[in-house]
Every structure is written in structure tokens, then in C-alpha cells.
Amino acid sequence: MKKIISLAVIFLFVVSCSTVPITGRQRINIVSDAEILPASFAQYEGFLKENKISTNTKATNELQNVGLNISKAVDKFMRANGMVSEANSYRWEFNLIEDENVNAWALPGGKVVFYTGILPICDNIDGIAAVMGHEVAHAFAKHGQERMTSSYGQQLGGIAVAISTNNKDPKTQTLWNTIYGIGSQVGMLAYSRTHETEADKLGMVFMIMAGYKPQEAINVWIRMSERASGGAPPEFLSTHPSNETRIKNLKDYLPTAVSLAKKYNTQ
């Protein structure tokens, strides 16, 4: 049984390994668009019905205009780089929700939500573009599908540990299950940080392609850092990089993002 699970994991790795466009990061994804997109769209529709959509016409129009511009840049990139079927699968939508939480998120397939609480952090149109680029990048890089895939792998790992310790005494079984639980949890957190860093970089490229000022991506995180109160958890136990790390990464990546955006805009 252990051999079967090991072979299954190896097989999944081989057949489902692909590369994230632009960053070149290797990823494993066994979740198809046909599986996840209908559920994603239904979940988004349900969320909108259960939450209050902002009646601030000016803020909503600004948000949706930025989203449209950035999604057009992403669509342009995909069609110029042999990703036509993927480009056709996205159903871009951008909504502003009345909620004081400082948050924004995206679902697979291009469904994006901003909460009104994040607008003061955005501060201006370019700030909105920075956050929008980040969220659009999550959808573009298929981070949702990748996290679902990793959760399947985590479940397989738990089964493998249980089988391998089946003949051990109860204390040994408990020890190894605890070690696996902690290790896999920390591993998943690191996985999330990888996605966040990648979305920061891709988002900066996309916002430049759409005509927005990339420096504001750095300023957004400076404002976020200034807003932060209380002690943050150690970075290795957080799903997101620290504000300081993000600021440094974005400053370092800015010249590359400008160069890439110029290249892709001429395609």
C-alpha cells in the first residue's frame, strides 16, 4: 500500500507539473478549470447575494475601471503567448463590498472582491491598481487550483504516515502523526507565502502594462505597515510575508517589472 501511494504521488507530480508564466516557477496542479470554475462562479454569486454591495458609485466605478484595464493587460499577455483557451475561460468581475475589513481577494476564473476597508490603504487610483494587480495575479497564476492540489497531497501524506506506523506502538504512532501535522502545516504556510510573493511580482508587471505607477505598489505596503498594530507572528508561521519583506521584494523587483511590462506591451 505504501508503494502504491508513493507511486501515485510520483505519477501526479510528473503529469501535473507546469510552469507559471512570467515568473517561471514550477507548480503542480491536478485541478482542471472544468472542475473548479463552475464552483468558483457559483460561490462568488452566493457571496454577493449574502453581502452588501457598495452604493458608492464613484468608488465602484473607479474600482471596476481599474479591474477592466488590468484584466485587459492580462488577456493581451495570454493571447500573445499561446494561452488563448485560458484567456477565454476567465469571467472577469470586480465588486466593492461594504465591509470595514482591510481585505481584497480573488477566486479562480477572475472573480474579484474589494472591501471598502482597504480603500484608505489604496489611497489613490494607482494604489487600487496595485492591490487589483495582486488579486488578478492570483487568478492568473491559478493559485487557488494549486492550493487545492496541495491539500490533496497533504491528505495522501497523512495516509502514508498512518500506514507506515500501523505496526508501531501507540506512542510512536502519536509522535509521528504529530510531527507530520506540524511539518505539513508549516509547509502549507510557506506555500502561501510563495503565492503572495509571486502575486506581488506579477501584479506589479500587470499594473505597469495597464498604465499605472508601480511605485504605488510599494507605497501600499508602507501604508499597511504604518497601520499595523500589535505584534505580528513570526514570518515563518504566517501565511503572508511580513510588510517589510514585501516592501524590499517589490523595490528589488521594480526594474525587472518595468522591463517585462515594456516587453509584453510590444507583443
Side-chain angles (χ1 to χ4, degrees):
M1 186 64 179
K2 287 187 289 184
K3 289 183 179 179
I4 293 175
I5 292 176
S6 297
L7 288 173
V9 172
I10 293 171
F11 175 75
L12 289 175
F13 177 84
V14 171
V15 301
S16 58
C17 188
S18 61
T19 301
V20 178
I22 299 178
T23 66
R25 180 179 63 85
Q26 293 294 303
R27 65 184 172 194
I28 301 174
N29 175 28
I30 63 171
V31 181
S32 70
D33 287 349
E35 290 177 275
I36 197 172
L37 294 189
S40 174
F41 298 159
Q43 183 180 354
Y44 189 77
E45 185 177 345
F47 174 87
L48 294 180
K49 289 179 179 178
E50 295 171 4
N51 292 270
K52 184 180 178 182
I53 297 177
S54 175
T55 56
N56 185 329
T57 303
K58 180 177 182 294
T60 299
N61 287 342
E62 287 179 346
L63 178 80
Q64 293 180 339
N65 186 56
V66 170
L68 180 63
N69 290 338
I70 290 181
S71 64
K72 283 182 177 178
V74 172
D75 186 81
K76 176 182 178 180
F77 171 86
M78 288 192 288
R79 295 185 188 282
N81 287 276
M83 301 169 65
V84 176
S85 62
E86 286 191 43
N88 291 338
S89 72
Y90 284 85
R91 298 291 181 269
W92 297 105
E93 187 174 349
F94 315 95
N95 279 287
L96 180 62
I97 299 297
E98 287 287 350
D99 193 309
E100 294 181 357
N101 284 313
V102 180
N103 198 16
W105 47 262
L107 290 177
K111 302 298 186 179
V112 180
V113 159
F114 270 54
Y115 294 168
T116 52
I118 201 170
L119 294 183
I121 299 295
C122 294
D123 189 54
N124 53 60
I125 292 294
D126 294 297
I128 292 173
V131 176
M132 184 66 74
H134 175 93
E135 298 306 333
V136 165
H138 277 309
F140 168 82
K142 299 185 184 294
H143 289 160
Q145 292 91 318
E146 198 176 351
R147 289 186 189 184
M148 285 183 66
T149 297
S150 68
S151 70
Y152 295 154
Q154 192 176 18
Q155 291 172 24
L156 281 175
I159 293 171
V161 169
I163 292 172
S164 64
T165 60
N166 186 48
N167 297 322
K168 305 294 184 181
D169 63 88
K171 287 185 178 180
T172 301
Q173 290 181 11
T174 300
L175 173 64
W176 278 103
N177 279 306
T178 300
I179 291 172
Y180 171 76
I182 294 173
S184 62
Q185 182 183 22
V186 173
M188 287 291 284
L189 292 175
Y191 205 44
S192 295
R193 291 196 300 274
T194 296
H195 286 171
E196 290 300 314
T197 299
E198 185 167 66
D200 282 347
K201 292 180 177 180
L202 290 171
M204 180 175 271
V205 173
F206 294 147
M207 71 180 293
I208 298 170
M209 289 179 66
Y212 298 102
K213 300 173 183 176
Q215 177 62 38
E216 205 57 35
I218 299 166
N219 293 339
V220 162
W221 287 106
I222 291 174
R223 288 192 288 271
M224 192 75 79
S225 181
E226 292 170 347
R227 178 188 179 279
S229 60
E235 186 170 342
F236 77 96
L237 289 178
S238 172
T239 58
H240 291 58
S242 70
N243 294 332
E244 292 73 19
T245 296
R246 297 182 98 143
I247 291 167
K248 181 181 184 304
N249 287 344
L250 285 169
K251 285 181 177 178
D252 291 345
Y253 193 70
L254 180 55
T256 299
V258 170
S259 176
L260 289 174
K262 182 178 180 181
K263 171 187 172 182
Y264 300 139
N265 269 339
T266 59
Q267 287 181 328

